[in-house]
C-alpha cells in the first residue's frame, strides 16, 4: 500500500510539479524559502546560496506569479539570480522591459541583469534608459554605470534629460569612469 502511495505521489509531483528537470521540493526547504521571502530584513546572498539550487523551481514560480505581491516577486527573482542564474535569465529578459509589470519588479530584474546576463545585459538595459518609469530608468542607468558597459549610452541619454532625472544623476559616474580610463567604457 505504501509503495502505491509513494508512486502516486511521485507521479503527481512530476505531472503537477515544477517539471521533470528538478527534484520535488521538500516541506522543510519550501518553509525555509517562504521564510526568507517573507523576511522583514534584507536576506543576504550567502543565505540564498546556503538554500541551494533546489530552491530554483519555487523561486521561479513566485517570480512569475502575477497574483503574488510585486515585492515578493522581486525578492524571488533576485534570489533566483543567485541560486540558479540560468533559470533567472529568461525571467529577467521577460520582466525588465514589460511596461505592465510593477516598477519594483522590473527594477529587480534590471539589478540582477548584469550578474546573470553578463555582457548581454547592456543590450537589455540601454533601451530602458528611455522608459516612462523613473525607477526603471534609474536602475538601468545605475546598472550600466556600475558595469561601465553602457556609459556612452547613459551619457547620450542624459543630454536629453533634466538634471534631476535619474539618468542624468548616473551620468556623473560614467563621466568619471571615462576620464579615469575604465576598461569597459573605452
Amino acid at each position: 500500500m505504501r509503495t502505491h502511495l509513494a508512486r502516486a505521489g511521485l507521479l503527481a509531483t512530476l505531472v503537477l510539479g515544477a517539471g521533470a528537470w528538478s527534484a520535488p521540493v521538500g516541506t522543510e526547504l519550501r518553509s525555509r524559502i517562504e521564510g526568507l521571502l517573507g523576511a522583514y530584513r534584507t536576506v543576504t546572498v550567502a543565505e540564498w546560496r546556503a538554500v541551494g539550487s533546489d530552491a530554483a523551481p519555487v523561486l521561479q514560480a513566485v517570480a512569475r506569479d502575477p497574483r503574488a505581491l510585486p515585492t515578493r516577486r522581486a525578492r524571488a527573482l533576485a534570489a533566483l539570480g543567485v541560486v540558479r542564474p540560468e533559470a533567472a535569465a529568461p525571467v529577467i529578459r521577460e520582466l525588465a522591459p514589460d511596461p505592465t509589470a510593477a516598477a519594483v519588479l522590473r527594477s529587480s530584474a534590471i539589478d540582477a541583469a548584469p550578474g546573470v546576463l553578463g555582457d548581454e545585459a547592456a543590450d537589455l538595459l540601454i533601451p530602458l534608459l528611455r522608459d516612462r518609469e523613473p525607477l526603471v530608468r534609474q536602475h538601468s542607468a545605475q546598472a550600466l554605470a556600475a558595469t561601465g558597459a553602457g556609459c556612452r549610452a547613459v551619457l547620450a541619454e542624459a543630454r536629453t534629460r533634466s538634471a534631476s532625472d535619474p539618468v542624468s544623476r548616473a551620468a556623473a559616474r560614467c563621466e568619471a569612469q571615462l576620464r579615469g580610463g575604465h576598461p569597459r567604457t573605452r
Side-chain angles (χ1 to χ4, degrees), residues 52-70:
S53 63
D54 288 345
V58 174
L59 294 170
Q60 189 171 32
V62 173
R64 290 186 181 274
D65 184 1
R67 296 166 298 166
L69 290 172

Side-chain angles (χ1 to χ4, degrees), residues 125-133 136-137 140 153 156-157 160-161 167:
L125 299 177
I126 289 171
L128 297 178
L129 292 172
R130 294 184 177 204
D131 198 86
R132 62 181 170 83
E133 282 288 337
V136 170
R137 290 195 309 272
S140 296
E157 185 61 27
T160 68
R161 303 271 174 187
V167 175

Side-chain angles (χ1 to χ4, degrees), residues 84-165:
R84 194 175 291 158
E86 66 277 7
V91 183
I92 288 169
R93 286 186 188 101
E94 173 189 329
L95 292 175
D98 181 1
T100 64
V104 68
L105 179 58
R106 296 177 69 202
S107 296
S108 179
I110 290 164
D111 292 344
V116 171
L117 302 177
D119 291 338
E120 295 176 39
D123 294 335
L124 177 72
L125 299 177
I126 289 171
L128 297 178
L129 292 172
R130 294 184 177 204
D131 198 86
R132 62 181 170 83
E133 282 288 337
L135 189 62
V136 170
R137 290 195 309 272
Q138 175 185 350
H139 282 258
S140 296
Q142 288 172 342
L144 289 164
T147 63
C151 273
R152 295 196 189 282
V154 171
L155 290 169
E157 185 61 27
R159 288 186 200 104
T160 68
R161 303 271 174 187
S162 71
S164 63
D165 190 85

